[in-house]
Amino acid sequence: MNVKALTFLLFPLAASAQGFAGLGTDADGFAVPKPDPVFDFPADHGPHPDYRIEWWYLTANLQAEDGTPYGLQWTLFRSALAPEAGEGWTAPQLWMGHAAVTTPDAHFVTERLARGGVGQAGVTADPFAAWIDDWQLAGRFDALTMTASGPDFAYDMDLTATGPLIFHGADGYSVKSASGQASYYYSQPFYEVAGTLTLPSGEVAVTGNAWLDREWSSQPLAEDQEGWDWFSLSFEDGTKLMGFLLRQTDGSAYSSATWIDAESTTAYGDGAFSARPLAMAKVAGREIPTSWQVTLPDRGVDVTVTAIYDGAWMETSVPYWEGPVTVSGSHQGKGYLEMTGYE
């Protein structure tokens, strides 16, 4: 998700009119996800170059000692120009990194771009390491260090997983449209985090929780899907909810959700999860919904999700909104919201 995400590195695809950022473009010789996947770890933590798009996508809800909330994002996207292999500058892989920090009154964001095959960016599975330039996410998958920096911020974090991997959809096969577009999608939503943010005002020691999404596909959207709204919510009672809407050109939306508790994981198909904008904000010259009513009736969820900072706009190659949120209503908690396709 995210379809989460962005595959925003879709420089070649972003020029296409088929779906948001070209993600509805035909697979054209690339491998495509199929039902009943069998995952192979640690290998599947690494890249899948026979698929066109892929990401390693981490968001974190953090808090300083004085109670101030912060959010951070670390993302590495891989996009393939062609399904064949290559070496050096002939390798068809493109890489893009996004890093951001959100405070109650500011949003800092930066982007890195790289060509595959020359060592500037990449991912290895065992030992796990994902990097672009001097940014890195590395270690065992259940115990990672994470670094990134931009012109006006930096962070250095340690992450420790306290729960299992979570597989979305049908055992990791996540359907994204009524016509059957899909991705392979799993998460590690149980990281505990501690580290240091460096901001224009100085260093801030923070602790909190993080959620890492892993997803790959070759055509994750239908050509009539123009964007999505993705929610990762962690409630104070220990349960968690991932849900997304994929907005279609006719005004309808395709939805999917995963409910996570201490005993089990439950996938919900189209129509079970809903999200309705409650308030709009003017962000980067456009109207963005920064407060939502989110419901999953089967689990008694009826909550208001509110941005910590309305202006969490990612002014990147393909722009989008991404930031930390608070949760109130039937459940209390915090989480992250990503919104794409708002013109």
Side-chain angles (χ1 to χ4, degrees), residues 121-161:
V123 178
T124 59
D126 191 16
F128 177 76
W131 73 94
I132 184 166
D133 297 333
D134 59 343
W135 302 2
Q136 70 167 359
L137 184 66
R140 301 190 317 272
F141 210 74
D142 60 354
L144 298 171
T145 60
M146 178 174 62
T147 60
S149 61
D152 44 15
F153 77 94
Y155 52 75
D156 188 342
M157 300 286 153
D158 293 319
L159 300 92
T160 303

Side-chain angles (χ1 to χ4, degrees), residues 149-236:
S149 61
D152 44 15
F153 77 94
Y155 52 75
D156 188 342
M157 300 286 153
D158 293 319
L159 300 92
T160 303
T162 60
L165 297 176
I166 299 298
F167 297 86
H168 302 288
D171 300 321
Y173 179 76
S174 174
V175 177
K176 299 300 194 292
S177 75
S179 54
Q181 279 76 19
S183 68
Y184 292 138
Y185 182 16
Y186 68 89
S187 301
Q188 174 45 272
F190 296 108
Y191 283 117
E192 294 184 350
V193 187
T196 303
L197 299 176
T198 303
L199 301 173
S201 57
E203 292 189 348
V204 183
V206 291
T207 57
N209 302 95
W211 182 305
L212 175 66
D213 272 355
R214 283 283 294 116
E215 196 159 7
W216 62 97
S217 184
S218 294
Q219 185 190 3
L221 302 188
E223 62 181 41
D224 64 346
Q225 291 177 317
E226 58 186 5
W228 60 80
D229 308 296
W230 173 88
F231 302 81
S232 63
L233 307 179
S234 296
F235 303 129
E236 291 180 355

Side-chain angles (χ1 to χ4, degrees), residues 21-323:
L23 297 182
T25 305
D26 290 342
D28 289 337
F30 289 93
V32 295
K34 297 180 180 179
D36 303 315
V38 177
F39 291 90
D40 178 16
F41 297 113
D44 278 326
H45 295 321
H48 301 80
D50 48 338
Y51 291 81
R52 182 159 51 193
I53 51 180
E54 182 166 22
W55 54 84
W56 296 255
Y57 203 119
L58 187 140
T59 55
N61 292 99
L62 305 173
Q63 183 171 293
E65 291 183 3
D66 65 1
T68 302
Y70 296 90
L72 70 78
Q73 175 193 354
W74 191 104
T75 311
L76 185 63
F77 305 100
R78 181 194 61 78
S79 176
L81 295 169
E84 62 266 11
E87 296 182 358
W89 288 104
T90 68
Q93 308 300 323
L94 304 176
W95 298 88
M96 181 167 66
H98 289 175
V101 173
T102 308
T103 78
D105 54 13
H107 183 69
F108 306 98
V109 59
T110 193
E111 179 179 64
R112 300 276 177 94
L113 305 175
R115 186 63 187 259
V118 296
Q120 182 186 356
V123 178
T124 59
D126 191 16
F128 177 76
W131 73 94
I132 184 166
D133 297 333
D134 59 343
W135 302 2
Q136 70 167 359
L137 184 66
R140 301 190 317 272
F141 210 74
D142 60 354
L144 298 171
T145 60
M146 178 174 62
T147 60
S149 61
D152 44 15
F153 77 94
Y155 52 75
D156 188 342
M157 300 286 153
D158 293 319
L159 300 92
T160 303
T162 60
L165 297 176
I166 299 298
F167 297 86
H168 302 288
D171 300 321
Y173 179 76
S174 174
V175 177
K176 299 300 194 292
S177 75
S179 54
Q181 279 76 19
S183 68
Y184 292 138
Y185 182 16
Y186 68 89
S187 301
Q188 174 45 272
F190 296 108
Y191 283 117
E192 294 184 350
V193 187
T196 303
L197 299 176
T198 303
L199 301 173
S201 57
E203 292 189 348
V204 183
V206 291
T207 57
N209 302 95
W211 182 305
L212 175 66
D213 272 355
R214 283 283 294 116
E215 196 159 7
W216 62 97
S217 184
S218 294
Q219 185 190 3
L221 302 188
E223 62 181 41
D224 64 346
Q225 291 177 317
E226 58 186 5
W228 60 80
D229 308 296
W230 173 88
F231 302 81
S232 63
L233 307 179
S234 296
F235 303 129
E236 291 180 355
D237 64 3
T239 57
K240 298 178 184 289
L241 171 63
M242 184 285 297
F244 58 81
L245 302 179
L246 285 159
R247 304 187 309 277
Q248 300 174 175
T249 54
D250 65 0
S252 65
Y254 185 90
S255 70
S256 182
T258 305
W259 176 260
I260 305 163
D261 63 28
E263 303 299 325
S264 63
T265 298
T266 305
Y268 290 89
D270 184 32
F273 168 89
S274 69
R276 179 176 66 89
L278 296 176
M280 308 294 287
K282 194 76 169 181
V283 181
R286 64 207 75 198
E287 292 292 322
I288 301 291
T290 53
S291 179
W292 293 77
Q293 180 187 21
V294 171
T295 62
L296 183 65
D298 190 59
R299 296 292 176 168
V301 175
D302 187 346
V303 296
T304 298
V305 173
T306 305
I308 288 175
Y309 177 64
D310 287 351
W313 186 250
M314 302 290 291
E315 193 61 63
T316 48
S317 296
V318 178
Y320 57 105
W321 194 101
E322 176 103 36

